Amino acid sequence: MMPNATGPDDISGSGSPLPPTTAAAAAAAASTSVKLVLLGAIICVSLVGNALLSLLVLRERALHKAPYYFLLDLCLADGVRAAVCFPFVLASIRHGSAWTFSALSCKVVAFMAVLFCFHAAFMLFCISVTRYMAVAHHRFYAKRMTLWTSAAVICMAWTLSVAMAFPPVFDVGTYKFIREEDQCIFEHRYFKANDTLGFMLMLAALMAATHAVYGKLLLFEYRHRKMRPVQTVPAVSQNWTFHGPGATGQAAANWIAGFGRGPLPPTLLGIRQVTGGGGGHVASRRLLGMEEFRGEKELGRMFYAITLLFLLLWSPYIVACYWRVFVKACAVPHRYLATAVWMSFTQAGVNPIVCFLLNKDLKKCLRTHAPCWGAGGPQVPREPYCVM
């Protein structure tokens, strides 16, 4: 009998394991594809979300207030970061983690990346201070926090950010392409000649100060939450004259606790009668009532969520920077470094998601301006008061 024609030497090589070089090349190609898709998704989410939120703030007059001006500034900065800095990261990933542009362009891109990072940190700190003033010192906040004051705060944040990001452009420190990060950023050297140490320390100090202000705000709200009226008998108001056990200052305490009847006492809310032009219309402008207080608390929760996400998404990268500076005996694990870098990239697109989830006013405006969401829904009447 003839031997079987299908011997071991005739087996096709398709089922055999790939050579090490081929397997490594396939893994690298797959990793590159995943990075490109992921960064493309981050860019799209950031551009669409920040543009949508910015348009809502610009078009809706009810959102023309100091907190939303600050939010608009954050959204525009994140959108520009995604549109200007991230395409260079895409190009470096496509070319095998290599920088194919000039050294000057590397400095410019690194400058803008650091600028937007510090701008967000400075802006979140300023927002935390204004949130505390809006609740704890509302009369002063309502009088001083105008459009021009908001513009001055935003300009101050940008000026400080430029001051932090500009020195390496003139070689006070070094901007360099870091292959492990696929981006141009601070060069990480020994701590005696380090570019990262002071800048990352400033960023960490800003985040610590911001959370300290929010802690003070939470403590203030907790202490005032425990206030109770001395008497539970409500004050009765007739033409702003209070009668009974709840008269005078007790009337305000009863209103704070929810026992008030009739119109709100002017001693509590600081109502000013302003005569409008033309027909002599009288408008009441309140400094702070229960509804306004709830609105300020909602804004505080939203901005604190943004601040907390900023801290969570940037902290791993800050830890990696200090690791590379101080710990020379052990290198930063590549997987940890890659995760930290991509978490910092993700921060550019999370703010609109947080805002639409936690802010009722933004949801309402989105339903109003989006026909597919707002059609057929009941129109909620707006309160005839505004927070000044």
Side-chain angles (χ1 to χ4, degrees):
M1 295 180 62
M2 298 293 293
N4 191 355
T6 307
D9 296 334
D10 299 322
I11 297 177
S12 175
S14 59
S16 60
L18 294 174
T21 54
T22 307
S31 176
T32 300
S33 301
V34 171
K35 288 181 179 180
L36 291 174
V37 172
L38 183 58
L39 189 56
I42 292 174
I43 293 174
C44 292
V45 171
S46 178
L47 291 178
V48 173
N50 287 296
L52 178 60
L53 192 53
S54 300
L55 288 175
L56 285 179
V57 174
L58 290 173
R59 293 185 60 181
E60 187 65 34
R61 293 184 61 86
L63 302 181
H64 291 180
K65 307 172 188 177
Y68 295 103
Y69 294 146
F70 299 149
L71 182 61
L72 173 64
D73 180 64
L74 287 174
C75 290
L76 292 177
D78 286 339
V80 174
R81 179 189 173 200
V84 174
C85 299
F86 290 171
F88 287 93
V89 180
L90 277 175
S92 67
I93 293 173
R94 286 192 61 186
H95 292 87
S97 298
W99 186 259
T100 58
F101 306 97
S102 65
L104 178 61
S105 62
C106 181
K107 284 190 175 184
V108 172
V109 172
F111 164 76
M112 297 189 69
V114 176
L115 172 69
F116 292 130
C117 174
F118 273 101
H119 167 261
F122 279 116
M123 203 67 227
L124 290 174
F125 174 73
C126 294
I127 290 172
S128 69
V129 175
T130 59
R131 289 296 86 214
Y132 176 79
M133 293 179 62
V135 175
H137 305 284
H138 190 79
R139 288 179 182 271
F140 178 83
Y141 173 86
K143 184 178 180 181
R144 299 295 182 184
M145 192 53 63
T146 61
L147 171 63
W148 295 108
T149 307
S150 304
V153 171
I154 293 172
C155 290
M156 180 185 66
W158 278 108
T159 303
L160 293 173
S161 305
V162 170
M164 291 299 300
F166 209 75
V169 175
F170 292 101
D171 294 326
V172 182
T174 305
Y175 284 144
K176 183 181 178 182
F177 179 74
I178 307 298
R179 182 181 176 85
E180 295 83 0
E181 302 179 17
D182 294 313
Q183 65 173 341
C184 287
I185 201 69
F186 290 113
E187 183 180 7
H188 311 291
R189 299 182 293 182
Y190 186 58
F191 72 93
K192 288 185 177 180
N194 179 55
D195 309 326
T196 308
L197 188 59
F199 295 94
M200 293 296 108
L201 182 61
M202 184 65 181
L203 188 62
L206 276 173
M207 287 293 97
T210 304
H211 281 79
V213 176
Y214 277 114
K216 189 176 181 180
L217 174 60
L218 291 175
L219 184 62
F220 176 86
E221 291 182 355
Y222 176 75
R223 287 175 176 174
H224 287 72
R225 175 177 171 269
K226 294 168 63 177
M227 293 178 62
R228 293 292 185 270
V230 179
Q231 303 181 31
T232 58
V233 180
V236 179
S237 171
Q238 295 178 355
N239 298 325
W240 305 115
T241 302
F242 292 87
H243 308 278
T248 63
Q250 183 60 43
N254 286 342
W255 269 100
I256 291 176
F259 295 106
R261 294 179 183 174
L264 300 176
T267 55
L268 174 64
L269 298 177
I271 294 182
R272 297 184 300 165
Q273 297 295 330
V274 180
T275 304
H281 175 69
V282 178
S284 297
R285 295 186 179 182
R286 301 182 293 174
L287 292 183
L288 185 62
M290 293 303 295
E291 290 299 324
E292 287 85 354
F293 181 70
R294 294 190 187 99
E296 298 294 350
K297 286 182 64 177
E298 180 181 283
L299 284 171
R301 285 194 295 267
M302 181 190 73
F303 281 116
Y304 182 70
I306 292 175
T307 305
L308 189 61
L309 273 176
F310 182 86
L311 177 66
L312 292 176
L313 293 175
W314 275 98
S315 292
Y317 184 75
I318 296 176
V319 172
C321 290
Y322 280 102
W323 190 336
R324 283 187 287 194
V325 170
F326 288 107
V327 183
K328 292 297 182 181
C330 178
V332 181
H334 178 73
R335 186 169 297 179
Y336 173 84
L337 180 59
T339 303
V341 171
W342 283 87
M343 287 176 66
S344 68
F345 291 164
T346 307
Q347 187 272 327
V350 297
N351 288 351
I353 299 174
V354 173
C355 294
F356 285 123
L357 289 177
L358 299 182
N359 192 287
K360 295 179 181 178
D361 292 334
L362 289 174
K363 290 181 185 177
K364 192 183 302 182
C365 294
L366 185 61
R367 294 191 187 101
T368 302
H369 292 283
C372 58
W373 288 8
Q379 295 294 327
V380 180
R382 296 180 180 177
E383 189 181 5
Y385 301 102
C386 60
V387 178
M388 300 301 295

